[in-house]
Amino acid sequence: MIIKQSDVREAIARIPDGATVCVGGFGVPGTPFYLLQELVRHGAKDLTIVKNDANERGMGVDHLLKNGQVKKLIVTHIGLNANAIRMMNEAEIEVEFNPQGILAEKLRAAGAGLQGILTDVGIDTTLAEGKTIITYDGRQCIVEPPIKADFALIHAAIADQTGNVRYSATAQNFNPLMAMAADCVICEAEQVVEAGRLDADLIHTPSPFVDHVVKIAELSEEYNVIRR
C-alpha cells in the first residue's frame, strides 16, 4: 500500500517551467484554489493552463495570470475575467477556445489513450481554422487531438491517504477527466482519511490515477464565493 499524502510545497515543486497543467473546476465549484495559491508561490512560468474557464478577477487562475506565469490558456470561455480578456487582446497570452463538450471529450480521449476524436461541432466556423477536416460516413468532421497534460490539479471533498477520491456533487465537473489525462495528478482534499475508510462503491477517482494527496490547511475566502 502506497501512502500518497504529501506536503503541498513538495507536491507543487514538481511542476517545472513550460509544463501543461490541467486545473479542475467550473467557476468556483471544484477549483483547487489551495494548490493554485502554492503554484503562484512556487513561480513556475510559461505554463499552459487547461481549464473550463479563467475564474474571475482576483481568484484562482487569475493569480497565475497576474503573476506572469501563463503562456497559454486552453479554455471554453474567459468572459468572467476582464484581466484575461485584456491579456488576450494585448497578445500577452495565447488563448485556445474549445466548445465545452469538446474540451471534455479531448481530455477523455487522452485518458483513454485515443489519438483523437471526430466531431462536426465547429465545422464552417473559426473553430475549424487550421485543423484537419475529413469526410466520414458522408459528413465533414474535424479531427480534434487529445489534450494530454504533464500535471493535473484537482479538488476533492474527501480522499484517503492512498489517493482514492470522492467529489461533492457538481464540484466533480472536469476533475475526473483531468485526473485521467495527466502524467502526474495532485489532489487537494478538504478531508483526508486512512486507507479503507472510503466506501469502494462511492469512490469517483480510484487511487491509480492520483499521485499526491494534499490536505487543505484552511478553506480560503475563494471557496466561499458560493454557499457550500
Side-chain angles (χ1 to χ4, degrees):
M1 184 179 298
I2 301 175
I3 301 300
K4 299 177 181 179
Q5 188 168 0
S6 303
D7 174 80
V8 66
R9 291 199 173 198
E10 292 178 359
I12 294 298
R14 298 172 181 272
I15 301 177
D17 293 352
T20 296
V21 183
C22 281
V23 179
F26 191 116
V28 170
T31 295
F33 293 112
Y34 185 60
L35 297 180
L36 289 173
Q37 290 167 5
E38 179 56 27
L39 183 54
V40 171
R41 192 207 63 81
H42 171 52
K45 297 187 180 298
D46 296 323
L47 300 175
T48 295
I49 299 296
V50 183
K51 194 179 187 298
N52 177 66
D53 53 85
N55 292 118
E56 298 179 40
R57 292 182 68 173
M59 295 177 58
V61 168
D62 191 51
H63 296 307
L64 296 174
L65 294 171
K66 290 180 177 178
N67 205 36
Q69 294 176 252
V70 179
K71 177 181 67 176
K72 180 178 181 179
L73 288 175
I74 299 176
V75 292
T76 69
H77 73 94
I78 58 173
L80 298 179
N81 190 330
N83 183 49
I85 294 170
R86 178 195 62 78
M87 294 180 72
M88 176 184 68
N89 290 338
E90 296 179 7
E92 295 180 19
I93 57 171
E94 179 184 352
V95 180
E96 176 188 318
F97 291 104
N98 291 265
Q100 198 166 78
I102 299 302
L103 181 68
E105 288 303 314
K106 289 167 75 169
L107 291 164
R108 194 192 314 276
L114 303 180
Q115 297 305 303
I117 62 171
L118 299 180
T119 178
D120 63 354
V121 175
I123 287 290
D124 297 327
T125 75
T126 57
L127 293 174
E129 291 178 2
K131 296 180 179 179
T132 300
I133 298 176
I134 67 171
T135 299
Y136 178 78
D137 197 25
R139 299 168 64 184
Q140 280 194 315
C141 296
I142 300 171
V143 180
E144 292 280 9
I147 296 176
K148 183 72 174 176
D150 301 306
F151 294 85
L153 308 182
I154 64 174
H155 173 89
I158 185 170
D160 70 22
Q161 292 178 320
T162 68
N164 292 303
V165 170
R166 190 162 75 214
Y167 309 103
S168 177
T170 57
Q172 184 170 173
N173 53 67
F174 282 86
N175 284 292
L177 296 176
M178 290 180 170
M180 295 172 61
D183 292 330
C184 180
V185 177
I186 304 171
C187 173
E188 66 169 41
E190 298 178 32
Q191 182 181 0
V192 178
V193 299
E194 295 179 355
R197 293 286 301 278
L198 295 183
D199 185 334
D201 290 333
L202 300 178
I203 291 170
H204 296 130
T205 293
S207 61
F209 290 107
V210 178
D211 298 279
H212 304 281
V213 175
V214 172
K215 172 72 168 62
I216 300 173
E218 182 179 0
L219 290 173
S220 66
E221 184 64 26
E222 289 173 310
Y223 291 99
N224 296 321
V225 171
I226 60 171
R227 180 170 300 210
R228 299 185 60 75

